[in-house]
Amino acid sequence: MAERKVELKVFRYKQGQTPHYDTYNVTVDENTTVLVALQDVRRDQDTSLILRHSCHHASCGTCGMRINGQEQLACVVKVLELGTPTVVVEPLQNAPLISDLVVDMAPFYDRYNTPEMPYIRASEFWPKTDLPDGIAQYTRYENCLECGLCVSACPVAGTDSEYLGPAAMAAAARVVAEPRDSDPEFALNWVDNEHGCWRCHVAYECTEVCPSDVNPGEAIMSLRGALTRRKFRRVFGLGK
Amino acid sequence: MSHFHVVIIGGGGTGGALAHDLTLRGLKVTLVERGEVTSGTTGRHHGLLHSGARYAVKDKESAIECIEENTILRRIAPGTFEENDGLFVAVTDEDVAYSHSFIEGCGDCGIPAQRLTKEEALRLEPNLSEKTIMAVRIPDATMDAMRMPLRFFATAKKNGASVKPYTEVREILRQGNTVTGVKVVDHTSEKSYEIGADLVVNAAGPWCGKIADMVGVEVPIRPSPGVMVAVRGRWCNMVINRLNTSSDGDIVVPQRGLSVIGTSSWVVDDPDKLGLPSDHIQAMYDHGALMLPAIKDAPMRAAWSAARPLIGPRKADADTGRELSRTFKCFDHIDEGVEGFVTITGGKATTLRGMAEAAANVVCQKLGVDEPCRTRDVVLLPYTAYYA
Ligand SMILES: Cc1cc2nc3c(=O)[nH]c(=O)nc-3n(C[C@H](O)[C@H](O)[C@H](O)COP(=O)(O)OP(=O)(O)OC[C@H]3O[C@@H](n4cnc5c(N)ncnc54)[C@H](O)[C@@H]3O)c2cc1C
Ligand code: SF4
Ligand code: SF4
Ligand code: FES
């Protein structure tokens, strides 16, 4: 296993103090992720460094950060694959900073919760199978990891603090596509305003960084389409 | 409402469930966790809501705990599991021979087990190996390793518990032989402070030996890591287990659009130094592909290690963790002459509620609080409420 030395330049901030960057030399091999390298720093060099992490396999969505300026999940980015002698690590943008690489996810979930997003969806994988007795359909978790990478990358979220944001609107679009026990009309009304789907610039920076195939940009377009169709139906008196 | 104050060290599933239980019994609770909650073993586990079938032959105590807690969790945490059940799949004659004691063991432990022919199994899961001979269906499910326990944290917080992430215990405070609180550092400001307590619970999972060292008591814990590999593609909807005694890479847990293969098992001294042996990654691919051949060519999404808190002699020289029981233990360190300090460890994520109940019983009995456990029935808040 080829070990190499790399420099990590990490954004640091402790409450009441001035933000700055600290540089750490770390030894990594081809399996070492940015997350593991940061944990090694914490263990061997600086116990004060904090970051969010949990699942270590792109499932929980907690380890989002900017790595060399790009929003990524630290648990699936290999340090050596970045190919830079210095790797710059910074917290997500457009979320309140708590300390170091930790941001406050409360505003994210405030929005995300609003359309009553069910977390379980029908599984579309291998649809032509039998089902075990007593199981009405195979189910799975929704794609969105709630990582906030899209919100960090979104230029509109950076200028309009009330913008609903790509993840929450993608969640609303999922409710419209597959309501389950939620109300799609409520979700549509919720996004139908100047901080909602009409505010989006449609440059798809969100889709670009999404690690979980959610495609929020496209989801926002689908909400616009659904709202436009609803409006026409109402104007022409074709029911709801 | 009692005015006793309990400090819980460790924000994994065990600590979270204990905070919930004690809060419901009217105690004042502060939980401290050095990182984000579930950043220890809890968030990193395989994501299997055990039916208990894996232990039904050799470890019936664990198996019964699992099926009981499996049923309770589905009731108190609706909407958190991919409830697609699981299969134990036989691909060799030896596996088929094992199926008899397996089904009998499941019966003894109260785990519903249904024998399926090869054709029936393949109709449920078309990617199963052509070598499949027969299978047994059992009530496994997929759990989100972080979001399921977050529901306990969310509910505990709502009921008044104080949850403090990024708060690391550096010292346990004592007066004579009585533990009186903890000294912590808040890593968001690097300020240290003390928290007084009537009782301190060590729920630090594989780190609980390190916490016990701060008090000078012994916890027979061995950190025993395992490697897991997540591959792209959801190659099954049910949990797929190898129908044989526990071995490397014998479970594939589907989750979202991924399939997660696990696990291996060895023993380390430091739960912060696990490493990630490359040969274990390959072993997961090889063993997983015996049940689901498509795994062989599936691109890897991630590989990682996590450490079990296994109960056993802490410094003994066994080199694999497999022979140790999976069941949990609660230690009241008054046995060693220390008052006000309890350790809860071992177990599984599936049994977090049961572990919390056992520990809360010890805590309440020590403090003279006469309140029953209510966590079997209280439906938990959604995980998103944790961030409210
Ligand atoms: C490879 C593997 C696969 C597994 N798969 C499954 C599965 O599929 N299903 C299942 O049910 N179980 C599974 N388990 C078991 C399960 O993960 C664990 O039993 C369970 O998560 C332990 O939870 P815990 O809360 O006791 O410990 P932890 O989650 O480790 O929590 C302890 C916490 O204490 C904190 N801590 C440590 N030191 C300090 C300090 N000084 N100050 C403050 N906090 C501190 C740590 O940061 C940590 O978060 C698996 C385990 C492993 C290793
Ligand atoms: S497409 Fe819309 S939501 Fe996505 S990043 Fe651009 S402005 Fe933001
Ligand atoms: S939409 Fe994608 S990037 Fe945004 S929070 Fe969900 S998973 Fe993350
Ligand atoms: S640690 Fe869970 S997504 Fe990276």
Side-chain angles (χ1 to χ4, degrees):
Chain A
M1 203 169 291
E3 292 198 331
R4 290 253 303 276
K5 280 206 187 335
V6 174
E7 228 176 46
L8 287 183
K9 186 176 169 196
V10 184
F11 177 89
R12 303 301 308 276
Y13 167 70
K14 296 294 170 196
Q15 283 172 20
Q17 298 174 31
T18 320
H20 65 278
Y21 289 82
D22 279 333
T23 302
Y24 306 97
N25 291 307
V26 291
T27 306
V28 298
D29 64 36
E30 68 270 21
N31 284 331
T32 311
T33 58
V34 173
L35 172 55
V36 167
L38 290 167
Q39 285 186 293
D40 288 352
V41 167
R42 189 184 177 286
R43 183 191 64 217
D44 300 331
Q45 301 187 45
D46 189 343
T47 56
S48 73
L49 175 64
I50 57 172
L51 60 148
R52 301 177 71 225
H53 62 96
S54 183
C55 73
H56 292 221
H57 65 286
S59 168
C60 72
T62 60
C63 70
M65 51 189 77
R66 283 179 298 144
I67 301 172
N68 287 346
Q70 173 84 33
E71 281 78 7
Q72 306 231 53
L73 297 176
C75 66
V76 287
V77 176
K78 307 259 175 70
V79 176
L80 290 180
E81 283 176 10
L82 290 164
T84 52
T86 300
V87 173
V88 183
V89 187
E90 297 162 302
L92 293 181
Q93 302 185 108
N94 306 329
L97 180 63
I98 293 179
S99 167
D100 295 346
L101 301 169
V102 177
V103 297
D104 183 0
M105 292 302 282
F108 177 96
Y109 279 101
D110 269 357
R111 292 167 168 79
Y112 193 83
N113 269 338
T114 311
E116 289 288 329
M117 174 70 177
Y119 183 49
I120 304 283
R121 68 192 276 178
S123 169
E124 73 282 35
F125 289 86
W126 321 111
K128 294 208 167 68
T129 65
D130 283 1
L131 289 165
D133 303 334
I135 288 181
Q137 61 179 187
Y138 284 136
T139 56
R140 70 171 182 92
Y141 296 130
E142 280 287 357
N143 279 349
C144 180
L145 313 176
E146 302 150 26
C147 62
L149 299 192
C150 54
V151 176
S152 175
C154 172
V156 174
T159 54
D160 173 7
S161 62
E162 286 174 61
Y163 186 48
L164 297 180
M169 286 198 277
R174 282 289 306 146
V175 168
V176 174
E178 193 188 333
R180 290 152 282 182
D181 290 331
S182 295
D183 180 3
E185 287 301 312
F186 175 85
L188 282 174
N189 293 339
W190 184 64
V191 301
D192 188 12
N193 63 67
E194 76 273 29
H195 302 295
C197 66
W198 307 109
R199 188 82 165 79
C200 170
H201 288 176
V202 207
Y204 285 38
E205 294 91 335
C206 49
T207 294
E208 194 77 12
V209 298
C210 177
S212 196
D213 301 329
V214 177
N215 200 345
E218 199 60 43
I220 293 168
M221 290 310 102
S222 79
L223 288 168
R224 287 188 182 179
L227 283 165
T228 307
R229 285 193 297 279
R230 184 172 83 170
K231 192 166 148 201
F232 273 102
R233 280 202 301 275
R234 283 180 178 170
V235 169
F236 295 107
L238 302 171
K240 275 225 307 180
Chain B
M1 183 86 181
S2 110
H3 46 258
F4 289 116
H5 181 212
V6 175
V7 167
I8 300 171
I9 305 172
T14 309
L18 181 59
H20 169 59
D21 189 320
L22 290 174
T23 311
L24 282 180
R25 298 196 210 204
L27 275 73
K28 192 167 169 260
V29 174
T30 304
L31 181 146
V32 290
E33 161 57 50
R34 66 175 189 170
E36 173 65 292
V37 293
T38 77
S39 62
T41 301
T42 295
R44 255 178 271 178
H45 71 65
H46 200 167
L48 172 63
L49 179 69
H50 281 276
S51 59
R54 170 57 64 205
Y55 311 116
V57 176
K58 279 178 92 176
D59 190 356
K60 292 206 163 53
E61 194 187 349
S62 280
I64 292 167
E65 272 163 25
C66 282
I67 188 64
E68 282 178 5
E69 296 300 328
N70 175 310
T71 313
I72 294 170
L73 284 177
R74 289 179 199 241
R75 190 171 71 230
I76 65 172
T80 348
F81 303 106
E82 293 181 359
E83 293 182 80
N84 301 323
D85 282 2
L87 295 177
F88 274 70
V89 180
V91 293
T92 65
D93 291 338
E94 195 198 314
D95 295 353
V96 177
Y98 183 75
S99 73
H100 302 288
S101 53
F102 177 80
I103 292 176
E104 199 181 296
C106 286
D108 293 345
C109 299
I111 302 164
Q114 179 191 5
R115 183 183 282 273
L116 303 175
T117 63
K118 171 184 181 175
E119 291 68 32
E120 287 168 331
L122 275 147
R123 279 203 297 275
L124 296 174
E125 288 295 355
N127 295 315
L128 282 178
S129 165
E130 262 308 311
K131 297 206 175 78
T132 300
I133 304 170
M134 50 80 66
V136 182
R137 173 189 171 196
I138 37 75
D140 282 347
T142 297
M143 92 167 95
D144 184 309
M146 175 182 79
R147 289 174 177 85
M148 192 280 280
L150 268 191
R151 297 185 68 159
F152 284 90
F153 284 97
T155 315
K157 261 174 78 170
K158 179 79 186 313
N159 290 331
S162 165
V163 176
K164 296 180 181 297
Y166 314 109
T167 303
E168 180 167 5
V169 173
R170 286 281 168 80
E171 213 179 295
I172 310 258
L173 306 172
R174 295 172 62 153
Q175 258 167 24
N177 285 331
T178 304
V179 167
T180 57
V182 291
K183 184 168 183 194
V184 296
V185 50
D186 172 353
H187 286 304
T188 66
S189 61
E190 283 304 289
K191 295 211 169 84
S192 295
Y193 63 100
E194 295 183 353
I195 308 174
D198 297 295
L199 196 142
V200 173
V201 181
N202 171 13
W207 289 269
C208 70
K210 289 193 169 186
I211 301 292
D213 286 345
M214 295 181 189
V215 190
V217 294
E218 174 81 6
V219 174
I221 191 77
R222 309 200 67 196
S224 162
V227 165
M228 275 153 296
V229 174
V231 300
R232 289 186 190 267
R234 187 182 170 98
W235 301 103
C236 46
N237 280 303
M238 306 173 82
V239 176
I240 304 296
N241 306 260
R242 179 77 183 272
L243 181 50
N244 211 319
T245 49
S246 195
S247 68
D248 286 357
D250 58 358
I251 312 182
V252 181
V253 181
Q255 185 229 71
R256 284 202 177 81
L258 301 173
S259 303
V260 184
I261 318 152
T263 174
S264 54
S265 185
W266 73 102
V267 174
V268 296
D269 290 327
D270 182 357
D272 285 316
K273 240 184 186 143
L274 305 181
L276 181 63
S278 289
D279 52 328
H280 289 225
I281 299 176
Q282 188 54 45
M284 292 308 113
Y285 264 101
D286 294 346
H287 291 276
L290 290 176
M291 300 181 286
L292 294 161
I295 280 175
K296 203 206 270 309
D297 302 314
M300 187 165 91
R301 182 59 165 145
W304 73 102
S305 304
R308 299 169 192 80
L310 275 194
I311 299 170
R314 249 175 97 192
K315 292 179 182 85
D317 42 20
D319 57 356
T320 137
R322 286 214 190 276
E323 60 278 359
L324 302 172
S325 166
R326 254 67 174 172
T327 202
F328 60 81
K329 288 281 184 304
C330 187
F331 301 95
D332 178 352
H333 296 284
I334 190 72
D335 300 349
E336 290 147 281
V338 175
E339 189 49 279
F341 187 63
V342 168
T343 297
I344 174 75
T345 191
K348 277 170 291 294
T350 302
T351 59
L352 80 175
R353 192 216 60 86
M355 293 173 71
E357 178 176 349
N361 286 344
V362 172
V363 168
C364 287
Q365 181 251 322
K366 284 181 73 70
L367 294 173
V369 174
D370 186 19
E371 288 289 338
C373 175
R374 289 167 50 209
T375 58
R376 283 164 195 263
D377 302 309
V378 173
V379 174
L380 300 167
L381 290 177
Y383 69 90
T384 48
Y386 176 73
Y387 300 96

